Coordinates of all heavy atoms in Angstrom, one line a residue:
M462 N 49.3 135.0 80.8 CA 49.2 134.5 82.2 C 49.5 133.0 82.2 O 50.0 132.4 83.1 CB 47.8 134.8 82.7 CG 47.6 134.4 84.1 SD 48.6 135.5 85.2 CE 48.3 134.8 86.8
K463 N 49.1 132.3 81.1 CA 49.3 130.9 81.0 C 50.8 130.6 80.9 O 51.3 129.6 81.4 CB 48.7 130.2 79.7 CG 47.1 130.2 79.9 CD 46.5 129.6 78.7 CE 45.0 129.4 78.8 NZ 44.4 128.8 77.7
Y464 N 51.6 131.5 80.4 CA 53.0 131.3 80.3 C 53.6 131.3 81.6 O 54.5 130.5 81.9 CB 53.6 132.4 79.4 CG 55.2 132.4 79.4 CD1 55.9 131.4 78.6 CD2 55.9 133.3 80.1 CE1 57.2 131.3 78.6 CE2 57.3 133.3 80.1 CZ 57.9 132.3 79.4 OH 59.3 132.2 79.4
L465 N 53.2 132.2 82.6 CA 53.7 132.3 83.9 C 53.5 131.0 84.7 O 54.2 130.5 85.5 CB 53.1 133.5 84.6 CG 53.6 134.9 84.2 CD1 52.9 135.9 84.9 CD2 55.1 135.0 84.3
V466 N 52.2 130.4 84.5 CA 51.9 129.2 85.2 C 52.6 128.0 84.6 O 53.0 127.1 85.3 CB 50.4 129.0 85.2 CG1 50.0 127.7 85.8 CG2 49.6 130.2 85.8
S467 N 52.8 128.0 83.3 CA 53.4 126.8 82.7 C 55.0 126.8 82.8 O 55.6 125.7 82.6 CB 53.1 126.7 81.3 OG 53.6 127.8 80.6
S468 N 55.6 127.9 83.1 CA 57.1 128.0 83.2 C 57.6 127.3 84.5 O 57.0 127.5 85.5 CB 57.5 129.5 83.3 OG 58.8 129.6 83.4
K469 N 58.6 126.5 84.3 CA 59.1 125.8 85.5 C 59.8 126.7 86.4 O 59.7 126.5 87.7 CB 60.2 124.8 85.0 CG 59.6 123.6 84.3 CD 60.7 122.6 83.9 CE 60.1 121.3 83.2 NZ 61.2 120.5 82.8
R470 N 60.4 127.8 85.9 CA 61.1 128.8 86.8 C 60.1 129.5 87.7 O 60.3 129.7 88.9 CB 61.8 129.7 86.0 CG 62.6 130.7 86.7 CD 63.5 131.7 85.8 NE 64.1 132.6 86.6 CZ 64.8 133.6 86.1 NH1 64.9 133.8 84.9 NH2 65.4 134.5 86.9
S471 N 58.9 129.9 87.1 CA 58.0 130.6 87.9 C 57.3 129.7 88.9 O 57.0 130.1 90.0 CB 56.9 131.3 87.0 OG 56.2 130.3 86.3
R472 N 57.1 128.5 88.5 CA 56.5 127.5 89.6 C 57.5 127.2 90.7 O 57.1 127.1 91.8 CB 56.1 126.2 88.9 CG 54.9 126.3 88.1 CD 54.4 124.9 87.6 NE 55.3 124.4 86.7 CZ 55.2 123.3 86.1 NH1 54.2 122.5 86.4 NH2 56.1 122.9 85.2
A473 N 58.8 127.1 90.3 CA 59.8 127.0 91.4 C 59.8 128.1 92.3 O 60.0 128.0 93.5 CB 61.2 126.7 90.7
L474 N 59.9 129.4 91.7 CA 59.9 130.6 92.6 C 58.7 130.7 93.4 O 58.8 131.1 94.6 CB 60.1 131.8 91.7 CG 61.4 132.0 91.0 CD1 61.4 133.2 90.1 CD2 62.5 132.2 92.1
F475 N 57.5 130.3 92.9 CA 56.3 130.4 93.7 C 56.3 129.4 94.8 O 56.0 129.7 96.0 CB 55.1 130.1 92.7 CG 53.7 130.1 93.5 CD1 53.2 131.3 93.9 CD2 53.1 128.9 93.8 CE1 52.0 131.3 94.5 CE2 51.9 128.9 94.4 CZ 51.3 130.1 94.8
G476 N 56.9 128.2 94.5 CA 57.0 127.2 95.6 C 57.9 127.6 96.7 O 57.7 127.4 97.9
I477 N 59.1 128.2 96.3 CA 60.0 128.6 97.3 C 59.4 129.8 98.1 O 59.6 129.8 99.4 CB 61.3 129.1 96.6 CG1 62.1 127.9 96.0 CG2 62.2 129.9 97.5 CD1 63.2 128.3 95.1
G478 N 58.7 130.7 97.5 CA 58.0 131.7 98.2 C 57.0 131.2 99.2 O 57.0 131.7 100.3
M479 N 56.2 130.2 98.8 CA 55.2 129.6 99.8 C 55.9 129.0 100.9 O 55.5 129.1 102.0 CB 54.3 128.6 99.0 CG 53.4 129.3 98.0 SD 52.4 130.6 98.6 CE 51.3 129.6 99.7
V480 N 57.0 128.3 100.6 CA 57.8 127.6 101.7 C 58.3 128.6 102.7 O 58.3 128.5 103.9 CB 58.8 126.7 101.2 CG1 59.8 126.3 102.2 CG2 58.3 125.5 100.5
A481 N 58.9 129.7 102.2 CA 59.4 130.8 103.0 C 58.4 131.5 103.9 O 58.6 131.7 105.1 CB 60.1 131.9 102.2
I482 N 57.2 131.7 103.3 CA 56.1 132.3 104.1 C 55.6 131.4 105.1 O 55.4 131.8 106.3 CB 55.0 132.8 103.2 CG1 55.5 133.9 102.3 CG2 53.7 133.1 103.9 CD1 54.5 134.2 101.2
S483 N 55.5 130.1 104.8 CA 55.0 129.1 105.8 C 56.0 129.0 107.1 O 55.7 128.9 108.2 CB 54.7 127.8 105.2 OG 55.8 127.3 104.6
I484 N 57.3 129.0 106.7 CA 58.3 128.9 107.7 C 58.3 130.1 108.6 O 58.4 130.0 109.8 CB 59.8 128.7 107.1 CG1 59.8 127.3 106.5 CG2 60.9 128.9 108.1 CD1 61.1 127.0 105.7
G485 N 58.1 131.2 108.0 CA 58.0 132.5 108.8 C 56.8 132.5 109.7 O 56.9 132.9 110.9
L486 N 55.7 132.0 109.2 CA 54.5 131.9 110.1 C 54.7 130.9 111.2 O 54.3 131.2 112.4 CB 53.2 131.6 109.3 CG 52.8 132.7 108.3 CD1 51.7 132.2 107.4 CD2 52.4 133.9 109.1
I487 N 55.2 129.8 110.9 CA 55.5 128.7 112.0 C 56.5 129.2 113.0 O 56.2 129.1 114.2 CB 55.9 127.4 111.3 CG1 54.8 126.8 110.5 CG2 56.5 126.4 112.3 CD1 55.2 125.7 109.6
S488 N 57.5 129.9 112.6 CA 58.5 130.3 113.6 C 58.0 131.4 114.4 O 58.4 131.6 115.5 CB 59.8 130.7 112.8 OG 59.5 131.9 112.0
K489 N 57.1 132.3 113.9 CA 56.5 133.3 114.6 C 55.6 132.7 115.8 O 55.6 133.3 116.9 CB 55.7 134.2 113.8 CG 55.1 135.5 114.5 CD 54.5 136.3 113.5 CE 54.1 137.6 114.1 NZ 53.3 138.6 113.3
K490 N 55.0 131.6 115.5 CA 54.2 131.0 116.5 C 55.0 130.2 117.5 O 54.7 130.1 118.7 CB 53.2 130.0 115.9 CG 52.1 130.8 115.2 CD 51.1 129.8 114.7 CE 49.9 130.6 113.8 NZ 49.0 129.7 113.3
V491 N 56.2 129.6 117.1 CA 57.0 128.8 118.0 C 57.9 129.6 118.9 O 58.0 129.3 120.1 CB 57.8 127.9 117.1 CG1 58.9 127.1 118.0 CG2 57.0 126.8 116.4
I492 N 58.5 130.7 118.3 CA 59.5 131.5 119.1 C 58.7 132.6 119.8 O 58.0 133.4 119.2 CB 60.5 132.1 118.2 CG1 61.2 130.9 117.5 CG2 61.4 133.0 119.0 CD1 62.2 131.5 116.4
N493 N 58.8 132.6 121.2 CA 58.1 133.6 122.0 C 59.2 134.6 122.5 O 60.1 134.3 123.1 CB 57.3 133.0 123.1 CG 56.2 132.2 122.7 OD1 55.6 132.5 121.7 ND2 56.0 131.1 123.4
Y494 N 59.0 135.9 122.1 CA 59.9 136.9 122.5 C 59.4 137.6 123.8 O 58.2 137.7 123.9 CB 60.1 137.9 121.4 CG 60.8 137.4 120.2 CD1 60.1 137.1 119.0 CD2 62.1 137.2 120.2 CE1 60.7 136.6 118.0 CE2 62.8 136.6 119.1 CZ 62.1 136.3 118.0 OH 62.7 135.8 116.9
P495 N 60.2 138.0 124.7 CA 59.7 138.6 125.9 C 59.1 140.0 125.6 O 59.6 140.8 124.8 CB 60.9 138.8 126.8 CG 62.1 138.7 125.9 CD 61.6 137.8 124.8
A496 N 57.9 140.2 126.1 CA 57.2 141.5 125.9 C 57.8 142.7 126.5 O 57.8 143.8 126.0 CB 55.8 141.3 126.4
G497 N 58.4 142.5 127.7 CA 59.0 143.6 128.4 C 60.5 144.0 128.0 O 61.1 144.9 128.5
G498 N 61.0 143.3 127.1 CA 62.4 143.6 126.6 C 63.3 142.6 127.3 O 62.9 141.8 128.1
C499 N 64.6 142.8 127.1 CA 65.6 141.8 127.6 C 66.3 142.4 128.8 O 67.2 141.8 129.3 CB 66.5 141.3 126.5 SG 67.5 142.6 125.8
M500 N 66.0 143.6 129.3 CA 66.7 144.2 130.3 C 66.0 143.9 131.6 O 64.8 144.0 131.8 CB 66.8 145.7 130.2 CG 67.6 146.1 128.9 SD 67.6 147.9 128.7 CE 68.5 148.5 130.1
K501 N 66.8 143.4 132.7 CA 66.2 143.1 134.0 C 66.3 144.3 134.8 O 67.3 144.8 135.0 CB 67.0 141.9 134.6 CG 66.9 140.6 133.8 CD 67.6 139.5 134.4 CE 67.6 138.2 133.6 NZ 68.4 137.2 134.1
G502 N 65.2 144.6 135.5 CA 65.2 145.7 136.5 C 65.4 147.0 135.8 O 65.0 147.2 134.7
S503 N 66.0 148.0 136.5 CA 66.2 149.3 135.9 C 67.6 149.4 135.7 O 68.4 149.8 136.5 CB 65.7 150.3 136.9 OG 66.4 150.2 138.1
Q504 N 68.1 149.0 134.5 CA 69.5 149.1 134.1 C 69.6 150.4 133.2 O 68.7 150.8 132.5 CB 69.9 147.9 133.4 CG 69.9 146.7 134.2 CD 70.3 145.5 133.4 OE1 70.4 145.5 132.1 NE2 70.6 144.4 134.1
K505 N 70.7 150.9 133.3 CA 71.1 152.2 132.4 C 72.1 151.8 131.4 O 73.0 151.1 131.7 CB 71.6 153.3 133.3 CG 70.5 153.8 134.3 CD 71.1 155.0 135.0 CE 70.1 155.6 136.0 NZ 70.6 156.6 136.8
I506 N 71.9 152.4 130.2 CA 72.9 152.1 129.2 C 73.7 153.4 129.1 O 73.2 154.5 128.9 CB 72.2 151.9 127.8 CG1 71.3 150.6 127.9 CG2 73.1 151.8 126.7 CD1 70.5 150.4 126.7
T507 N 75.0 153.2 129.2 CA 76.0 154.4 129.0 C 76.9 154.1 127.9 O 77.3 153.0 127.6 CB 76.7 154.6 130.3 OG1 77.5 153.3 130.6 CG2 75.9 154.9 131.5
F508 N 77.2 155.2 127.2 CA 78.2 155.1 126.0 C 79.4 155.9 126.4 O 79.4 157.0 126.7 CB 77.5 155.7 124.8 CG 76.3 154.9 124.3 CD1 75.0 155.5 124.5 CD2 76.4 153.8 123.6 CE1 73.9 154.8 124.1 CE2 75.3 153.1 123.2 CZ 74.1 153.6 123.4
N509 N 80.5 155.1 126.4 CA 81.8 155.7 126.8 C 82.5 156.1 125.5 O 82.9 155.3 124.7 CB 82.7 154.8 127.6 CG 82.1 154.5 128.9 OD1 81.4 155.3 129.5 ND2 82.3 153.2 129.5
I510 N 82.6 157.4 125.3 CA 83.2 157.9 124.0 C 84.5 158.6 124.3 O 84.7 159.4 125.2 CB 82.3 158.9 123.3 CG1 81.0 158.2 122.9 CG2 83.0 159.4 122.1 CD1 80.0 159.0 122.2

């Protein structure tokens, strides 16, 4: 276990992981997605094949 903590590569990967998780949590709080979806009113989706 001491080898994993003392290795520069593992510390760098751990740091990158923590930064990625924190960015994900911050962006989840900042970006608000509409709860009802993005369709206005009663629109129908048709597929022309």
